[in-house]
Amino acid sequence: MGDNYKDLEELARSTTDDFYELLGVPFDVDEAALKRAYRKASIRVHPDKNPDNKDAANLFIALGWARDILQDEKLKGEYDRARTRRREKAFQDELLSGNRRKMKEELERRERESADLGASLKRKRAADMNEAEKREQEIQRLAEDGKRRRMEMQARRDQARKEQDAATAEPVKSPEPQAPKPGGSAELDRTIKVRFHREGDMATWDKDTIRRMFDKYGKVDSIIMGKDKKLKLEGEKHRKLVATVFIVYGRLDHAHVAVSDAKSDHPSLDSVAWQNGEPDLSSWSHATKSAPKQPNGTGKTTTPATPSTPAPAAKSFRASFGSSLGSGTTPMGTPKFSFSPKTPSLEEVTMMRLKNAEKKRLEEQIRKREAAEAAQGAVQ
């Protein structure tokens, strides 16, 4: 575009003239009506026909600018937006009372004057200033101080709004996780990550389906369904919709069995891996061996299972209650059961709440890590 077009574009944004009123046309005038209106108006105000009118030449030029701007779609849009802003500002100024408008105009005048004189006043020494210059310097200082205060107030409001949004958006911070007991492990160490394509029968897999598939390796504490994403996996040419599921087991050895056997048991799965890297099973095994033996209610003692002897997913009725059969049975072979309702103690309730808070913290940590991995993959 030439320099003339740039000049018209700048004029459309900065002019204060109402071109619609100047040409006598409505806002939605078409091109043909615009040209007719221009011809009539230009003939009426032509300088040759108005030799006594000093403003005729300027008015004739303004008509040409109005025609060029309003018949160009882009220039008309720039002009309409600037015109709307001017009309809104004028309407707001009209709403101000007489005293407030005078104060506003006086303040703007002083700010303009102080800005013009600011550079020269700073170079003068206080002893060389007369009373008027000192007064102007004080006005400038007050104006700058008022501007700084307004900016600080706005910054405090923005900060308060951000803190309020963060307080409502972020989850309640969970308590710090306690160290695992002997034979136990952190929940993140007992978490595995499963991926599979959302296609065929796998398109409808949900939490219940995943739980049925992985319950056979041990007790599942919780299942977190990640957001399905289109990823390009190794060996694939195109991106496919991939589901990611995080499974938290109650015991580390059960999670180890799932990582070892789930892929061979379910070949349709893309991957079954540790979420936080493979944990140190040797330290867990040592903790279980050194854990104190606990009475099982029959006078005998038991120790926690080790990773080398993982508990099966489902036990038979006799295997589950075999330790309680024998001396504690009736002549008919029916085991004796004692039912005594018991209300959870305050300590048990507290531990349940801590466990729920830890689960929430773990879910949030897993989702953040998943989002970071997705962002890193998008950059690559």
Side-chain angles (χ1 to χ4, degrees):
M1 299 181 181
D3 295 337
N4 186 41
Y5 189 87
K6 291 182 179 179
D7 292 341
L8 288 175
E9 189 175 11
E10 181 63 24
L11 178 65
R13 287 193 292 261
S14 60
T15 184
T16 58
D17 294 333
D18 192 330
F19 290 158
Y20 296 104
E21 183 177 351
L22 187 64
L23 290 172
V25 294
F27 178 81
D28 55 348
V29 62
D30 56 23
E31 186 174 358
L34 178 66
K35 290 181 178 180
R36 288 195 301 270
Y38 167 74
R39 285 195 297 270
K40 292 180 181 179
S42 61
I43 293 172
R44 185 176 64 253
V45 302
H46 198 281
D48 294 342
K49 293 188 175 183
N50 299 275
D52 299 331
N53 188 355
K54 297 180 180 180
D55 298 328
N58 294 334
L59 187 58
F60 183 82
I61 295 173
L63 286 172
W65 290 341
R67 176 202 57 189
D68 294 340
I69 289 175
L70 295 183
Q71 71 182 2
D72 185 280
E73 183 177 354
K74 182 180 177 182
L75 295 177
K76 184 178 184 297
E78 291 285 348
Y79 173 77
D80 289 340
R81 285 189 290 272
R83 178 172 177 265
T84 301
R85 287 194 295 269
R86 289 194 304 272
R87 292 166 68 90
E88 290 176 352
K89 185 176 183 301
F91 178 74
Q92 291 176 357
D93 292 340
E94 289 177 2
L95 295 178
L96 296 174
S97 64
N99 292 335
R100 291 182 61 190
R101 183 164 56 252
K102 289 180 180 179
M103 291 174 61
K104 176 176 175 292
E105 293 173 352
E106 180 67 15
L107 180 59
E108 291 177 349
R109 183 186 65 78
R110 290 187 178 185
E111 287 179 348
R112 287 194 300 269
E113 292 177 355
S114 61
D116 295 337
L117 297 175
S120 60
L121 291 176
K122 286 181 180 179
R123 291 192 295 266
K124 290 188 176 183
R125 302 164 73 181
D128 298 334
M129 294 182 182
N130 55 32
E131 291 299 325
E133 291 173 337
K134 290 181 180 179
R135 189 164 52 252
E136 291 296 337
Q137 187 181 41
E138 181 66 15
I139 292 173
Q140 181 187 4
R141 187 189 67 79
L142 292 175
E144 292 177 352
D145 185 67
K147 182 178 180 181
R148 179 182 58 81
R149 290 176 181 274
R150 289 194 298 272
M151 293 177 65
E152 290 177 352
M153 184 178 297
Q154 185 63 35
R156 286 196 295 269
R157 289 176 180 173
D158 294 341
Q159 183 65 24
R161 191 185 306 109
K162 289 180 180 178
E163 292 176 355
Q164 184 178 2
D165 294 341
T168 56
E170 294 182 356
V172 179
K173 193 172 183 180
S174 59
E176 293 295 329
Q178 298 180 349
K181 297 180 180 180
S185 58
E187 286 199 3
L188 196 58
D189 292 338
R190 293 183 271 110
T191 303
I192 66 174
K193 180 168 64 174
V194 180
R195 281 184 172 177
F196 57 89
H197 287 171
R198 282 291 188 188
E199 56 186 15
D201 296 338
M202 295 181 289
T204 59
W205 283 7
D206 54 7
K207 279 189 177 182
D208 294 335
T209 306
I210 299 298
R211 187 178 292 276
R212 287 194 298 270
M213 292 168 58
F214 284 85
D215 260 345
K216 67 178 183 180
Y217 305 115
K219 181 183 177 183
V220 175
D221 272 359
S222 61
I223 296 177
I224 304 170
M225 299 294 292
K227 185 178 180 181
D228 295 350
K229 298 178 181 177
K230 285 191 175 182
L231 302 175
K232 186 177 181 181
L233 300 179
E234 185 177 357
E236 298 288 344
K237 293 184 179 180
H238 304 288
R239 292 177 179 268
K240 291 188 176 182
L241 189 62
V242 176
T244 305
V245 184
F246 302 93
I247 304 173
V248 184
Y249 276 96
R251 287 174 38 169
L252 184 59
D253 55 337
H254 295 172
H256 184 271
V257 174
V259 173
S260 302
D261 299 346
K263 188 69 173 68
S264 58
D265 293 344
H266 305 283
S268 56
L269 297 175
D270 287 329
S271 63
V272 181
W274 295 100
Q275 164 61 17
N276 198 34
E278 185 172 358
D280 186 3
L281 296 177
S282 60
S283 61
W284 185 89
S285 176
H286 176 73
T288 56
K289 290 178 181 179
S290 61
K293 296 182 178 182
Q294 302 294 335
N296 61 2
T298 62
K300 299 180 181 181
T301 57
T302 60
T303 56
T306 63
S308 59
T309 58
K315 297 181 179 180
S316 64
F317 179 83
R318 181 169 295 277
S320 300
F321 297 96
S323 60
S324 62
L325 295 175
S327 59
T329 59
T330 63
M332 296 299 293
T334 305
K336 294 180 179 179
F337 296 97
S338 174
F339 297 95
S340 57
K342 181 181 178 182
T343 303
S345 64
L346 179 60
E347 182 180 359
E348 292 172 339
V349 172
T350 303
M351 292 302 296
M352 290 171 62
R353 290 179 176 175
L354 288 175
K355 187 173 182 180
N356 291 333
E358 173 65 12
K359 285 184 178 180
K360 291 182 180 179
R361 184 196 64 78
L362 178 62
E363 290 184 7
E364 181 66 20
Q365 186 175 357
I366 289 174
R367 294 192 187 282
K368 286 182 178 179
R369 181 172 298 183
E370 183 184 14
E373 291 177 357
Q376 185 177 4
V379 172
Q380 292 177 354

